[in-house]
């Protein structure tokens, strides 16, 4: 959440900004500076290799400010994240999450539906753990003593971004332009 609510990476408390990388769906990992360069967190999460004419949300056309305004207008009560299940503990934490909110504002020309929009995914986080001087036996028996530098250094997200975008594009007038005929179609562009 610090990624969206703190402007300066040096203000982050839960991550080691000198080592931190983010990746989404197996794409190239980005540092906080790399995330800023592509237009912020929303653009990082919604980047795609689809051709531009098939993109419902084109991350290359959005800035940090325009993306933030778009999503805070679409979800005026917020777009909550919920941890559903934790599969493993540190140093590599794996969990299932749900991101959800009600579409109470327009999105890219689509009118608000008031409906629940949600996506599910999994995430892994690698945590840097510094130990006091412990013997192998103590470590083996799980007597871990963590200091104040218990920081996240790597985050990997896996989810279907299309599920989120489909929920945002199903309002009245949700159509695509058929690039072969130039006409409108509500069918899958790949069929």
């Amino acid at each position: 959440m610090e990624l969206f609510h703190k402007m300066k990476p040096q203000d982050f408390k839960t991550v080691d900004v000198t080592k931190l990388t983010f990746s989404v769906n197996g794409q190239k990992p980005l540092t906080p500076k790399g995330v800023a360069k592509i237009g912020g967190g929303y653009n990082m999460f919604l980047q795609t290799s689809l051709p531009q004419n098939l993109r419902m949300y084109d991350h290359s056309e959005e800035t940090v400010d325009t993306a933030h305004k778009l999503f805070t207008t679409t979800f005026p009560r917020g777009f909550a994240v919920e941890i559903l299940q934790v599969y493993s503990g540190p140093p590599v934490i794996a969990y299932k999450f749900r991101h959800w909110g009600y579409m109470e504002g327009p999105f890219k020309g689509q009118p608000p539906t008031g409906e629940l929009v949600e996506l599910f995914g999994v995430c892994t986080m690698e945590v840097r753990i510094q130990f006091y001087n412990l013997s192998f036996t103590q470590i083996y028996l799980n007597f871990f003593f963590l200091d104040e530098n218990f920081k996240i250094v790597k985050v990997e997200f896996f989810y279907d971004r299309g599920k989120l975008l489909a929920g945002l594009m199903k309002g009245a007038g949700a159509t695509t332009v058929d690039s072969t005929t130039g006409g409108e179609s509500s069918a899958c562009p790949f069929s």
Side-chain angles (χ1 to χ4, degrees):
M1 298 312 295
E2 287 180 314
L3 179 67
F4 292 96
H5 299 290
K6 292 184 179 175
M7 295 302 293
K8 298 179 206 166
Q10 63 268 27
D11 292 339
F12 293 177
K13 303 287 185 218
T14 59
V15 298
D16 181 341
V17 294
T18 65
K19 298 177 183 174
L20 181 63
T21 62
F22 298 96
S23 67
V24 176
N25 294 331
Q27 294 185 6
K28 178 183 171 188
L30 298 170
T31 64
K33 286 182 182 179
V35 173
K37 186 176 178 179
I38 65 165
Y42 293 108
N43 287 343
M44 176 188 71
F45 285 112
L46 294 172
Q47 58 185 317
T48 182
S49 58
L50 283 172
Q52 281 190 305
N53 65 326
L54 298 178
R55 295 178 185 178
M56 295 179 266
Y57 175 92
D58 190 348
H59 68 279
S60 67
E61 295 177 359
E62 301 293 339
T63 67
V64 172
D65 293 333
T66 62
H68 183 75
K69 183 176 181 180
L70 176 65
F71 281 91
T72 56
T73 300
T74 302
F75 299 106
R77 289 192 286 165
F79 193 58
V81 65
E82 178 179 14
I83 306 302
L84 300 174
Q85 186 170 0
V86 177
Y87 300 114
S88 65
V92 177
I93 302 164
Y95 63 88
K96 180 179 180 179
F97 66 90
R98 172 185 176 233
H99 229 322
W100 62 277
Y102 290 92
M103 185 186 177
E104 297 171 327
F107 181 83
K108 295 289 189 179
Q110 301 300 316
T113 64
E115 292 183 18
L116 175 68
V117 176
E118 63 186 345
L119 70 90
F120 294 86
V122 294
C123 179
T124 63
M125 280 193 253
E126 186 175 317
V127 178
R128 182 189 77 211
I129 302 173
Q130 294 183 353
F131 299 98
Y132 293 106
N133 292 328
L134 298 175
S135 70
F136 175 76
T137 305
Q138 287 172 310
I139 293 172
Y140 180 75
L141 294 173
N142 294 319
F143 291 110
F144 295 103
F145 298 92
L146 308 175
D147 68 10
E148 69 279 356
N149 294 319
F150 192 86
K151 303 269 183 152
I152 299 167
V153 295
K154 181 179 178 182
V155 182
E156 297 177 293
F157 292 96
F158 300 92
Y159 61 92
D160 181 355
R161 65 184 283 284
K163 295 282 187 186
L164 167 65
L165 294 172
L168 294 170
M169 303 301 282
K170 68 180 184 180
T175 60
T176 58
V177 174
D178 185 334
S179 60
T180 57
T181 65
E184 291 187 356
S185 169
S186 60
C188 173
F190 300 108
S191 57

